[in-house]
Amino acid sequence: MLTVVSILTTTALFSLAMLLVLGSLLRSPVAGVREWFFANLAMVVSLPLLALRTAIPDFISIVVANVVMSLAGAFYYAGCARFLGRPVPWVRMLAGVALIGIAMIVWRYVDANLPMRVVASTTFNTIVCTAIGVILLRRRPRDRSPYNFWFAALMAFLFAGTQMVRGLYFMTLAPDESLAMLNSVWNISLLTVGAVVMPTLTMIAVMMVHDAMLAKVEHALNHDHLTGALTRKRFESITRDLLAAAQPARPLVLLLIDLDHFKRINDTHGHAGGDEVLRAFVQMAGDFVRPGDALGRLGGEEFGLLLPATTAADAAAMAESLRAQAEGQVVSGEFGSCRYSISIGIATAHWEDSPDRFNARADRALYAAKNSGRNRVASEETLPKLETEMEMEMELPAKAGRNSAQA
Ligand SMILES: Nc1nc2c(ncn2[C@@H]2O[C@H](COP(=O)(O)OP(=O)(O)OP(=O)(O)O)[C@@H](O)[C@H]2O)c(=O)[nH]1
């Protein structure tokens, strides 16, 4: 038969297992793991102390055990806050834990009252668990699957609910110190629900940590480490998707952007100076990127900007303003300071375009922009029409050829 001791012992063993799992994640760079680890450690310490009631001094099994158990809730909340990049209200939480300690001392040594001790600890748990559910739902990252966050929040609300009901139930009992009231069917049922919730919350925390690590890996795979722009592979995959979805009413435009005379910048300011210019350009271009647009680094100093649902006229205006902004930008750093300019080729997707052909048409425009003196914008639509693929291939020299021809 289930007793308070058997429930506390089982939960302590669950928490120990989760502690070991969290231990394996302590070295991960994800914020919050350390606090969740301490939350479980507090559970592992406090539950046996509660279970040892009558076998050890009351001060340990009542005051210390309840304070440490309250710390578990506070640490769990702190883990969530840190995981979500929010400040941890340590002062308020530790004040709450101190109040629990005072309540335990008063209702054990001044006015012995077991029901009021249960009410005090369940009130604290209800508040902390509600706060956990709220922060998880309100602050969850919008670019990740909401599943873990809803799951954890529902568990936190379930725990808050059972704690509240348990507190209300004990409020109806007469002041007493008889442990028999702990073994009532009501208390055992509510404790059983509570017993699965804390280890489950930790399991979800582990799922959230894995998801956060996956997000970091995905970000590293899809973004160029120097500039933060999308990688060429990711950019090409977005191009394919957007091309497939493009319609005459929602034209797709590609800007191919190349920094002018970048070799000279490297030669004058060193490779580190060149890197700084690349970073500054992407940061500046980021201000032009609207939700749904995609900016990728396609090679050394060549970038692509995809503009879905954009007319050729709007794209040309954006390109011109980007060019003017680059021309006016002064990049400074340890290397000194320098100016740079960009050339831009524009192409609007045709319904029959393959990604390669779309790119080649924008590249043709970029070549025209470079050829006519650099620091310009050229649109493929304004160039003489080419009839065949072969003509396009002949028209487009390899980039190296283009550069040497223009140097
Ligand atoms: N600093 C830095 N330089 C790079 C990077 N990737 C490529 N480069 C340099 O970029 C330069 C590109 O030179 P070119 O292709 O000749 O082009 P360009 O000098 O910009 O000439 P145009 O494009 O014709 O205006 C080369 O010197 C590469 O070494 C990078 O990540 N950092």
Side-chain angles (χ1 to χ4, degrees):
M1 202 195 98
L2 277 177
T3 61
V4 172
V5 172
S6 66
I7 294 172
L8 294 178
T9 312
T10 314
T11 311
L13 290 173
F14 262 142
S15 296
L16 180 62
M18 292 319 298
L19 188 71
L20 297 176
V21 174
L22 279 170
S24 72
L25 294 173
L26 271 179
R27 284 173 52 214
S28 84
V30 179
V33 174
R34 193 176 299 270
E35 287 75 7
W36 284 324
F37 179 85
F38 284 125
N40 269 268
L41 187 59
M43 289 295 278
V44 170
V45 171
S46 62
L47 290 168
L49 297 184
L50 285 175
L52 285 171
R53 181 77 201 278
T54 70
I56 57 175
D58 277 5
F59 188 81
I60 298 177
S61 74
I62 295 176
V63 182
V64 175
N66 277 287
V67 165
V68 176
M69 176 156 297
S70 310
L71 278 175
F75 270 117
Y76 193 92
Y77 179 87
C80 294
R82 292 218 47 232
F83 179 76
L84 299 167
R86 306 298 304 167
V88 180
W90 279 117
V91 174
R92 260 179 290 156
M93 291 200 304
L94 292 180
V97 173
L99 277 179
I100 288 293
I102 294 167
M104 294 302 140
I105 291 170
V106 170
W107 280 312
R108 170 62 188 86
Y109 297 106
V110 181
D111 174 19
N113 190 335
L114 172 59
M116 284 314 290
R117 291 204 300 273
V118 174
V119 170
S121 72
T122 52
T123 303
F124 180 88
N125 289 339
T126 305
I127 294 170
V128 171
C129 287
T130 306
I132 289 170
V134 169
I135 196 174
L136 286 171
L137 290 187
R138 283 188 58 196
R139 304 292 176 185
R140 71 179 170 80
R142 303 288 148 172
D143 57 340
R144 303 305 298 170
S145 157
Y147 181 85
N148 292 339
F149 297 90
W150 272 99
F151 187 9
L154 286 179
M155 281 291 151
F157 289 138
L158 176 69
F159 192 49
T162 56
Q163 288 290 297
M164 196 170 70
V165 173
R166 189 163 172 254
L168 290 174
Y169 166 68
F170 272 84
M171 277 171 101
T172 66
L173 303 180
D176 197 354
E177 269 303 296
S178 151
L179 294 182
M181 69 172 78
L182 293 177
N183 278 322
S184 71
V185 176
W186 261 99
N187 191 44
I188 293 289
S189 313
L190 293 167
L191 267 185
T192 309
V193 177
V196 290
V197 172
M198 268 315 250
T200 310
L201 273 181
T202 308
M203 219 145 59
I204 305 167
V206 171
M207 284 158 66
M208 291 194 293
V209 171
H210 278 138
D211 186 58
M213 292 199 290
L214 186 65
K216 276 182 197 286
V217 172
E218 277 173 11
H219 189 274
L221 274 177
N222 291 332
H223 292 81
D224 166 47
H225 71 281
L226 176 67
T227 62
L230 295 169
T231 56
R232 181 183 190 120
K233 191 165 178 235
R234 181 73 190 125
F235 187 82
E236 286 176 350
S237 128
I238 294 176
T239 307
R240 271 194 301 279
D241 292 347
L242 289 178
L243 261 182
Q247 298 159 6
R250 299 171 55 79
L252 172 67
V253 179
L254 171 61
L255 309 189
L256 271 191
I257 307 159
D258 194 276
L259 276 70
D260 297 325
H261 294 307
F262 197 66
K263 188 172 179 321
R264 258 190 234 163
I265 294 180
N266 270 339
D267 291 346
T268 313
H269 300 284
H271 209 265
D275 284 354
E276 208 56 64
V277 172
L278 290 173
R279 270 195 288 263
F281 164 70
V282 169
Q283 205 173 4
M284 183 272 289
D287 294 339
F288 283 79
V289 176
R290 308 159 304 178
D293 294 349
L295 175 68
R297 186 177 180 199
L298 309 182
E301 50 8 319
E302 184 167 308
F303 296 85
L305 179 55
L306 277 168
L307 305 172
T310 307
T311 62
D314 285 347
M318 270 180 81
E320 179 50 35
S321 137
L322 186 60
R323 185 208 61 74
Q325 191 94 4
E327 188 183 18
Q329 193 178 23
V330 180
V331 183
S332 342
E334 282 183 11
F335 67 93
S337 67
C338 79
R339 291 174 167 278
Y340 69 99
S341 67
I342 55 177
S343 298
I344 304 179
I346 307 180
T348 302
H350 294 168
W351 69 269
E352 77 281 6
D353 269 344
S354 65
D356 282 349
R357 194 181 160 86
F358 186 31
N359 194 65
R361 290 198 297 101
D363 203 23
R364 187 172 167 243
L366 176 59
Y367 178 65
K370 289 271 180 189
N371 213 12
S372 55
R374 298 183 175 83
N375 190 17
R376 331 231 138 173
V377 176
S379 175
E380 198 260 346
E381 271 69 28
T382 62
L383 302 177
K385 291 274 168 287
L386 292 179
E387 294 304 325
T388 63
E389 294 278 343
M390 201 185 294
E391 271 181 294
M392 182 166 274
E393 272 165 28
M394 285 169 63
E395 174 95 354
L396 276 178
K399 188 163 185 290
R402 160 170 100 214
N403 293 334
S404 57
Q406 300 307 309

